[in-house]
Amino acid sequence: MGITFTELRENLKALTLSAMAGGLEVHLRQAKESGIGYDEFLLELTATELRSRSENRLNRRVREAKFPLHKPMETFDLNAVPELDIRLFRELAGSGFIKERRNVIFLGRSGAGKTHMATALGIEACRNNYRTRFVTCYGLVNELIEARHETTLQRLVQKYAHYDLLILDELGYIPFSKEGSELLFQVLAERHEKGAVMITTNLGFADWTQVFGDPVMTAALLDRLTHKAHIVSCPWDSYRLKQSLKEKGKQGRTTHANNGL
Ligand code: ADP
Ligand code: MG
């Protein structure tokens, strides 16, 4: 490669087009071999840069979201949950609710796949370039309680207000102290109609007072959270339980068949 090549690569680097700089040699060689025109060569090279940028952006968004496990959409088996409103689920995957600042509440038993679905939709949100954050209710409340002794509380509330999508996992597993619910209320009030919140819970709305303590505050919170919210009800049994019963069923049938031989 000659001096022009080196200079060109330096220019691309100076313009922070690093994927184009990195792919230049290969693309030039391929272009010469296949005899494609200048326009096609430039198209391919710029496409490389765009692809690399969107990949980097997705990785950055996913890293910032702090999902507990990497469970993208394709790992969720829709056939296992025939009661799921698939039309709604697909619509949510398009992230329109984030733009509309509408909340999503997953209601269902433990093991139903609520965390998995929330994670998958969160990854889709990252793909659609929304700032996303996944946190358990318990983790968030603890973080708020720790910060409240310091001047950092307001900053923390602002931090959680600025995400485009806040996923609050496992509401209802552990009741909060009065202080804890007040702090959580503060975060949710700050986000109200400013950003979408996705909640997973095993509690029916009637039982939310048990978690938040104060009935007046719970009513105010529910009113805000459920306003224009998408409620995804997941009334089926635990996925793992269903899977292991299926496995047992299969084994039973196999044993039976073997006995018949
Ligand atoms: P929940 O949050 O409702 O308690 P999880 O999302 O933690 O349930 O699901 C329990 C386990 O079952 C997880 O490992 C999850 O990945 C898996 N799971 C649940 N539903 C499905 C599904 N439809 N397809 C694939 N895996 C699933
Ligand atoms: Mg869960």
Side-chain angles (χ1 to χ4, degrees), residues 15-206:
L15 290 163
T16 61
L17 297 164
S18 51
M20 283 174 72
L24 185 62
E25 191 173 346
V26 173
H27 276 87
L28 267 176
R29 191 174 346 104
Q30 282 172 353
K32 280 177 188 154
E33 278 166 15
S34 60
I36 57 166
Y38 299 125
D39 49 358
E40 219 170 309
F41 161 74
L42 199 53
L43 182 66
E44 278 180 15
L45 198 60
T46 48
T48 311
E49 183 70 34
L50 286 175
R51 251 195 320 273
S52 142
R53 285 193 183 193
S54 86
E55 249 168 55
N56 291 345
R57 200 177 54 208
L58 171 64
N59 291 339
R60 196 173 58 244
R61 292 262 181 255
V62 168
R63 224 178 14 252
E64 282 168 3
K66 299 194 162 68
F67 297 110
L69 291 166
H70 188 67
K71 299 226 167 177
M73 212 40 122
E74 56 274 21
T75 62
F76 190 74
D77 180 9
L78 288 170
N79 295 322
V81 286
E83 299 100 320
L84 177 70
D85 182 346
I86 291 186
R87 192 200 54 79
L88 173 60
F89 191 63
R90 293 233 163 90
E91 189 189 314
L92 294 173
S95 301
F97 70 100
I98 303 175
K99 202 163 163 214
E100 294 164 8
R101 302 184 166 92
R102 290 174 71 172
N103 299 336
V104 180
I105 303 175
F106 284 97
L107 268 171
R109 267 176 227 119
S110 176
K114 303 182 298 297
T115 301
H116 193 148
M117 287 187 273
T119 305
L121 293 175
I123 295 172
E124 288 309 300
C126 292
R127 221 185 283 284
N128 293 318
N129 199 20
Y130 286 113
R131 282 164 307 177
T132 304
R133 178 63 201 269
F134 183 109
V135 70
T136 62
C137 281
Y138 180 74
L140 175 59
V141 167
N142 272 351
E143 201 182 340
L144 292 166
I145 287 179
E146 267 171 35
R148 96 174 189 318
H149 296 295
E150 299 155 33
T151 47
T152 48
L153 179 65
Q154 217 35 48
R155 217 178 307 144
L156 197 60
V157 171
Q158 287 311 321
K159 183 183 109 177
Y160 280 103
H162 112 147
Y163 293 111
D164 299 308
L165 171 64
L166 178 65
I167 304 176
L168 282 181
D169 196 32
E170 297 189 348
L171 180 97
Y173 282 88
I174 302 161
F176 311 122
S177 61
K178 183 168 181 295
E179 185 188 22
S181 19
E182 278 167 11
L183 289 168
L184 185 60
F185 186 84
Q186 215 176 311
V187 168
L188 294 172
E190 194 58 44
R191 287 189 66 83
H192 184 55
E193 290 189 1
K194 287 194 213 133
V197 179
M198 184 178 279
I199 290 179
T200 79
T201 181
N202 57 339
L203 282 185
F205 294 134

